[in-house]
């Protein structure tokens, strides 16, 4: 069996090297290995000091996240950390790469810490719905004070070695990257100085000023309370309060109890699901066997909001960008949009004028498609109209160099039809960015039937360079995200006509954890956009489908949302926060009467059940049709593109938590009055009949492999 912790004694120093690829997570074997090694060093009279390092690219990335939710295995990490700290010989942690969560807790249990200049330290447990549970909430404040400890634990951010040194989290920065050598040199230095055992649990200086610590805790508590429905931040604050008020051992007990509560919370399950799902989506089948094409130069057609955002995303990734527009005026506007983003960053001191100029030196513009002849990838972000897309793709076909990837940013048009309209369908792919394209993380990679696998692999590689979260989607109207959005938006409109107000629906959606409700969103984006789409689709709408006219009535008044001062809400001059509008409600009531609907009242739970059931049912259909590879792809799409609360994991994870039988029963009950809209997904029925959940499909080999 592979040894998880190597142990050897060299010149009176016990060397403990953790070897658990890829990131030295603290699995049961590592914990046991560490404990055995510390005990061996303690018992060996020839050992004068102990050095802990990690093999490979990390010190330790934290507890083994895969073990959470499984029966606990001894020894526990807190026990291992306590044993390290209790050692009667100086223990040094030598850190390179990530020292995160439990990894940093191990390091804080050591008596001294040295790190390479590229090391990354942090306590990111909050991002997994947890708190540092191996003494971190008690040791960090004793080492660096309550304020710095709370900042690390509540933000979960990773800090570099210089910042860690400034705050007192480490003692020394190594001069080279050879961590064994550097660690050993530091140990020898400490031994030559006669450095004593220095236990973090016994440190008092960082918390000496009680009033300052209490003020930091109070401020953090007020801040944590504002985080939409998150469970663990307030528990972290409680732990730091315990660190201030209680002896170390008692503080540890408080931490243990609160860690356990976090561990059992559905938020922990949701966030850890999101963590793995975000990594799983990267492994699309084509990425396993096809070699990506090289991308250095990119052409972006269209300098509107979307095109300019895409250009910025590409520039930020270090690519050369050529922006194409139909005339000089449009080109100037496109360039101005790009420049505005960088000027904004200068205003916020995130960029220097020189930095902006360096970036913009990689941007060229032209009204001539011939300027695209060197581009390795060309993406169009022009008007959403098939005739326009065909015309633009004909130009891309004509001027694009052989082997160039030709991409469309369409959000719902048929990418198969676009691909078939040119001479090289194998090079055509959908890259659906979300607005603002340089900020939003989601990138739907829409895979048409005839595309070459290496083009798909190229898209995933590009996403990595752009720091996007890519999700592989099949071709259908709206792909994964917009198709599901259209369904739950329709469910909201049904609820509106049935008796709920826009405000009640928005509040319900926010109470669930979304940052914004559907009607607020419509006012923000502009109601005219959806109106244009509805008009375009009117001819192809199923005549049997229930259609709610309220949004159209508002648009007919010119009420398009924030930009026109009123939409679903009224906006005072310059305000972005709306107030409910009695005139909107009058229209709603008139439409209810016209549709013969007797309005009824809904509880917030009624509203949530319908809204989410619509989302889940459509999500299941998207999976059943192979548009999404697995349920986790739907989850990642909704979390990163549509504001679904990450702590709930995504709609399919949420459905598993509620129970699929319950979801199906709800859908069947709603179908009594509208069987067409509420037709249950065949996949959902199959899973319920088999007693399985969506997660069981995440574990299967993907059907497209
Ligand atoms: C904790 O410590 C709790 C304690 O306080 C209390 C305990 C009592 N476990 O991200 P990558 C896998 S909570 C298991 O692609 P990168 C990951 O899934 C923990 N597996 O690489 C992936 O697997 P695969 C607190 C883990 O270089 C592979 O490693 N710690 C873990 O872009 C490579 O990962 C954290 O929250 C883990 N802890 O980034 C840190 N970490 O190849 C979480 C990673 O099969 N980890 N894997 O897809 C990270 O932030 C990043 O992975 C890291 C490397 C920065 C380390």
């Amino acid at each position: 069996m592979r040894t998880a912790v190597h142990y050897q004694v060299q010149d009176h120093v016990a060397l403990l090297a953790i070897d658990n690829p890829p990131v030295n997570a603290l699995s049961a074997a590592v914990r046991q290995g560490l404990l055995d090694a510390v005990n061996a060093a303690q018992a060996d009279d020839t050992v004068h000091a102990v050095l802990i390092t990690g093999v490979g690219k990390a010190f330790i990335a934290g507890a083994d996240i895969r073990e959470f939710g499984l029966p606990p295995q001894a020894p526990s990490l807190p026990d291992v950390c306590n044993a390290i700290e209790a050692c009667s010989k100086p223990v040094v942690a030598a850190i390179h790469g990530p020292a995160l969560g439990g990894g940093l807790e191990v390091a804080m249990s050591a008596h001294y810490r040295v790190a390479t200049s590229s090391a990354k330290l942090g306590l990111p447990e909050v991002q997994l719905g947890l708190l540092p549970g191996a003494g971190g909430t008690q040791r960090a404040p004793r080492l660096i004070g309550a304020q710095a400890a709370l900042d690390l634990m509540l933000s979960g951010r990773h800090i570099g070695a210089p910042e860690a040194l400034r705050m007192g989290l480490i003692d020394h920065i190594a001069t080279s990257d050879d961590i064994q050598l550097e660690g050993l040199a530091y140990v020898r230095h400490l031994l030559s100085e006669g450095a004593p055992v220095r236990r973090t649990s016994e440190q008092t200086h960082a918390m000496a000023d009680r009033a300052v610590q209490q003020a930091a805790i109070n401020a953090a508590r007020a801040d944590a309370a504002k985080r939409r429905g998150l469970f663990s931040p307030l528990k972290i604050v409680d732990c730091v309060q315990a660190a201030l008020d209680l002896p170390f051992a008692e503080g540890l007990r408080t931490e243990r109890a609160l860690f356990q509560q976090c561990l059992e919370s559905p938020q922990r399950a949701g966030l850890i699901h999101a963590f793995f799902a975000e990594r799983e989506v990267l492994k699309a089948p084509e990425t396993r066997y096809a070699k990506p094409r090289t991308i250095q130069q990119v052409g972006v057609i269209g300098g509107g909001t979307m095109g300019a955002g895409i250009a910025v995303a590409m520039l930020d990734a270090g690519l050369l960008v050529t922006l194409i527009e139909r005339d000089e005026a449009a080109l100037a506007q496109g360039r101005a949009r790009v420049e505005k983003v960088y000027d904004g960053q200068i205003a916020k001191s995130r960029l220097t004028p020189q930095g902006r100029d360096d970036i913009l030196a990689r941007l060229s513009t032209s009204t001539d498609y011939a300027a695209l002849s060197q581009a390795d990838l060309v993406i169009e972000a022009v008007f959403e109209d098939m005739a326009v897309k065909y015309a633009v793709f004909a130009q891309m076909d004509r001027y694009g160099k052989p082997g160039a990837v030709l991409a469309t940013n369409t959000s719902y048009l048929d990418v198969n039809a676009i691909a078939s309209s040119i001479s090289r369908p194998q090079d055509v792919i959908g890259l659906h960015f979300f607005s603002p394209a340089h900020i939003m993380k989601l990138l739907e990679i829409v895979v048409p039937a005839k595309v070459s696998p290496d083009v798909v692999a190229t898209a995933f590689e590009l996403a990595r360079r752009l720091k996007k979260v890519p999700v592989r989607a099949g071709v259908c109207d709206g792909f994964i995200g917009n198709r599901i959005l259209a369904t739950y938006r329709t469910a909201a409109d049904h609820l509106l006509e049935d008796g709920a107000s826009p405000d009640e629906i928005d509040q319900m959606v926010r109470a669930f954890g979304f940052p914004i409700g559907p009607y607020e969103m419509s006012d923000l984006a502009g109601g005219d956009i959806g109106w244009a789409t509805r008009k375009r689709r009117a001819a192809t709408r199923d005549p049997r489908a229930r259609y709610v006219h309220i949004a159209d009535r508002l648009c007919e008044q010119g009420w398009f949302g924030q930009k026109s001062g009123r939409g679903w809400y009224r906006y005072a001059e310059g305000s972005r926060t709306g107030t409910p509008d009695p005139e909107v409600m009058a229209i709603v009531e008139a439409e209810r009467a016209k549709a013969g609907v007797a309005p009824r009242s809904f509880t917030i739970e009624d509203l949530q059940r319908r809204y989410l059931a619509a989302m889940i049912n459509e999500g299941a259909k998207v999976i059943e049709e192979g548009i999404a590879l697995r349920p986790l792809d739907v989850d990642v799409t909704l979390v990163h593109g549509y504001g679904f609360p990450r702590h709930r994991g995504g709609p399919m994870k949420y459905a598993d938590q509620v129970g699929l039988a319950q979801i199906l029963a709800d859908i069947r009950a709603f179908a009594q009055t509208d069987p067409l809209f509420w037709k249950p997904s065949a996949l959902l029925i199959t899973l319920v009949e088999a007693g399985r959940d969506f997660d069981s499909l995440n574990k299967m080999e993907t059907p497209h492999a």
Side-chain angles (χ1 to χ4, degrees):
M1 206 180 98
R2 191 189 169 84
T3 315
V5 179
H6 306 290
Y7 179 83
Q8 56 165 311
V9 180
Q10 209 182 81
D11 247 351
H12 303 292
V13 179
L15 305 176
L16 280 58
I18 299 158
D19 187 4
N20 183 27
V23 290
N24 294 332
L26 292 154
S27 63
V30 172
R31 297 195 302 273
Q32 188 64 56
L34 270 174
L35 190 61
D36 292 346
V38 169
N39 287 340
Q42 179 67 49
D44 184 344
D45 289 339
T46 68
V47 168
H48 297 169
V50 179
L51 175 66
I52 306 178
T53 58
V55 174
K57 64 173 188 175
F59 175 66
I60 305 169
D64 188 337
I65 301 172
R66 287 173 212 273
E67 285 183 359
F68 292 135
L70 303 175
Q73 253 183 292
S76 74
L77 192 57
D79 287 349
V80 173
C81 287
N82 290 342
I84 292 171
E85 195 182 53
C87 187
S88 64
K89 303 163 187 187
V91 182
V92 175
I95 300 165
H96 77 297
L100 301 174
L104 185 54
E105 292 178 291
V106 166
M108 288 192 291
S109 310
H111 307 140
Y112 297 91
R113 285 153 292 280
V114 51
T116 61
S117 55
S118 58
K120 289 276 170 254
L121 301 92
L123 294 167
E125 286 87 344
V126 71
Q127 288 164 2
L128 302 173
L130 290 168
L131 50 85
T137 65
Q138 305 304 297
R139 289 193 177 93
R142 284 174 167 83
L143 206 53
I144 57 176
Q147 185 167 5
L150 282 162
D151 166 44
L152 281 188
M153 292 190 280
L154 292 173
S155 70
R157 72 193 175 95
H158 301 176
I159 61 170
E163 187 177 353
L165 184 67
R166 276 199 301 281
M167 60 172 61
L169 197 55
I170 59 172
D171 304 291
H172 180 64
I173 299 183
T175 42
S176 82
D177 281 341
D178 188 336
I179 198 61
Q180 278 283 337
L181 209 73
E182 293 284 348
L184 213 48
Y186 190 59
V187 171
R188 300 229 176 284
H189 163 75
L190 290 172
L191 288 175
S192 70
E193 300 259 295
V197 161
R198 190 189 61 176
R199 298 192 174 96
T200 307
S201 62
E202 293 165 3
Q203 304 301 305
T204 51
H205 61 277
M207 291 193 110
D209 190 335
R210 213 192 131 80
V212 170
Q213 308 308 309
Q214 190 59 58
I217 293 171
N218 294 347
R221 188 178 298 285
D223 227 39
K226 285 190 224 138
R227 296 203 190 183
R228 275 193 314 269
L230 286 184
F231 184 74
S232 77
L234 279 168
K235 305 292 165 200
I236 289 173
V237 181
D238 288 344
C239 286
V240 177
Q241 186 72 60
L244 183 64
D245 294 343
L246 303 175
F248 183 75
E250 276 183 54
L252 276 188
R253 275 196 288 280
T254 302
E255 180 192 89
R256 199 73 210 138
L258 296 181
F259 180 79
Q260 200 55 36
Q261 286 181 20
C262 293
L263 200 57
E264 285 160 13
S265 84
Q267 294 191 1
R268 188 275 304 162
L271 286 165
I272 287 185
H273 171 76
F275 176 88
F276 285 119
E278 285 153 9
R279 283 160 178 77
E280 220 43 52
V281 289
L282 308 174
K283 303 171 191 162
E286 294 83 353
T287 63
R288 299 189 187 156
Y289 63 87
K291 186 169 172 286
R293 298 181 188 175
T294 305
I295 305 287
Q296 303 286 359
Q297 292 199 29
V298 172
V300 179
I301 304 173
T305 309
M306 208 63 211
I310 293 172
V312 171
M314 302 285 183
L315 288 168
D316 285 348
L319 295 160
L320 290 167
V321 177
T322 304
L323 186 65
I324 301 282
E325 259 294 357
R326 60 182 178 280
D327 55 41
E328 290 298 336
L331 206 52
Q333 282 175 357
R335 179 175 259 282
R337 284 191 187 98
V338 172
E339 288 174 354
K340 194 172 162 201
V341 172
Y342 292 114
D343 289 342
Q345 292 181 8
I346 293 175
K348 288 183 189 142
S349 304
R350 291 192 193 143
L351 188 68
T352 60
Q354 183 60 49
R356 173 199 52 197
D357 295 347
D358 291 347
I359 293 171
L360 291 176
R362 285 187 278 106
L363 174 68
S364 59
T365 56
S366 179
T367 53
D368 185 354
Y369 279 89
L372 298 175
S373 63
Q374 292 310 307
D376 305 302
L377 178 143
V378 181
I379 177 165
E380 65 74 21
V382 299
F383 190 62
E384 284 283 87
D385 178 273
M386 213 45 172
V388 179
K389 300 281 187 198
Y390 284 148
V392 167
F393 261 84
Q395 298 295 325
M396 288 158 74
D397 196 9
R398 181 164 169 211
Y399 291 104
K401 71 176 181 187
V405 173
L406 305 180
T408 170
N409 178 53
T410 181
S411 38
Y412 61 89
L413 294 175
D414 184 348
V415 187
N416 281 326
I418 293 174
S420 300
S421 73
I422 64 167
S423 70
R424 33 177 153 166
Q426 72 279 4
D427 294 331
V428 176
I429 195 158
L431 292 179
H432 181 209
F433 286 83
F434 288 70
S435 187
H438 58 294
I439 292 174
M440 291 288 284
K441 285 277 165 234
L442 183 64
L443 179 66
E444 271 182 311
I445 295 181
V446 186
V447 179
K450 293 183 188 155
V451 69
S452 160
D454 67 343
V455 169
V456 182
T458 309
F460 275 87
E461 173 56 19
L462 178 70
R464 190 191 62 74
R465 287 171 74 182
L466 301 182
K467 299 197 174 73
K468 298 289 180 200
V469 179
V471 174
R472 188 188 190 283
V475 177
C476 69
D477 189 344
F479 318 128
I480 300 177
N482 280 351
R483 171 165 160 186
I484 297 173
L485 165 70
T487 303
Y488 65 80
R489 238 340 283 264
T490 302
D493 286 345
H494 291 177
L495 288 167
L496 179 67
E497 195 173 63
D498 285 341
S501 71
D503 190 36
E504 278 172 328
I505 295 171
D506 283 337
Q507 279 190 39
M508 162 283 278
V509 171
R510 270 189 274 109
F512 185 78
F514 283 83
I516 187 169
Y519 297 105
E520 294 162 324
M521 186 65 211
S522 163
D523 275 1
L524 180 69
D528 46 334
I529 297 173
W531 194 30
T533 312
R534 289 194 297 278
K535 282 194 278 196
R536 223 174 13 247
R537 291 180 177 177
T540 53
R541 204 163 37 231
D542 185 340
R544 297 166 305 157
R546 178 178 175 186
Y547 184 76
V548 176
H549 296 268
I550 300 169
D552 295 345
R553 294 292 100 85
L554 262 55
C555 289
E556 285 157 14
Q557 305 281 332
W559 299 349
F560 296 139
Q562 291 189 18
K563 63 182 169 191
S564 54
R566 60 195 298 184
W568 292 99
Y569 299 91
R570 261 178 192 270
Y571 298 86
E573 186 72 31
S575 170
R576 294 166 71 90
T577 319
T579 48
D581 185 344
E583 286 184 52
V584 168
M585 282 317 293
I587 292 177
V588 170
E589 277 154 25
E591 286 302 315
R592 285 174 186 158
K594 230 190 268 173
V597 174
R600 62 190 184 95
S601 61
F602 293 94
T603 63
I604 195 162
E605 207 218 332
D606 289 337
L607 294 173
Q608 278 181 353
R609 272 172 103 139
R610 283 179 184 253
Y611 195 72
L612 286 150
M615 194 181 298
I616 293 160
N617 198 34
E618 195 64 28
K621 290 178 187 174
V622 159
I623 300 158
E624 148 196 332
E625 291 169 26
I627 300 299
L629 290 176
R630 300 144 301 191
L632 66 83
D633 297 85
V634 173
D635 286 337
V636 172
T637 303
L638 270 288
V639 167
H640 287 281
Y642 298 82
F644 193 97
R646 193 165 179 277
H647 66 262
R648 295 191 189 265
M652 314 322 275
K653 176 69 184 176
Y654 174 74
D656 279 352
Q657 289 185 331
V658 172
L660 298 195
Q662 174 66 55
I663 302 283
L664 181 59
D666 277 354
I667 291 170
R668 285 184 165 144
F670 306 150
Q672 306 265 314
T673 46
D674 187 350
L676 189 64
F677 182 78
W678 288 106
K679 185 172 184 305
S681 134
L683 175 66
L684 181 60
I685 295 171
T686 308
L687 288 173
V688 170
E689 282 172 359
R692 288 170 52 191
D693 61 8
F694 284 120
D695 201 38
S696 65
L697 300 175
N698 290 329
K699 297 183 176 81
M700 288 166 56
E701 268 303 301
T702 53
H704 299 271

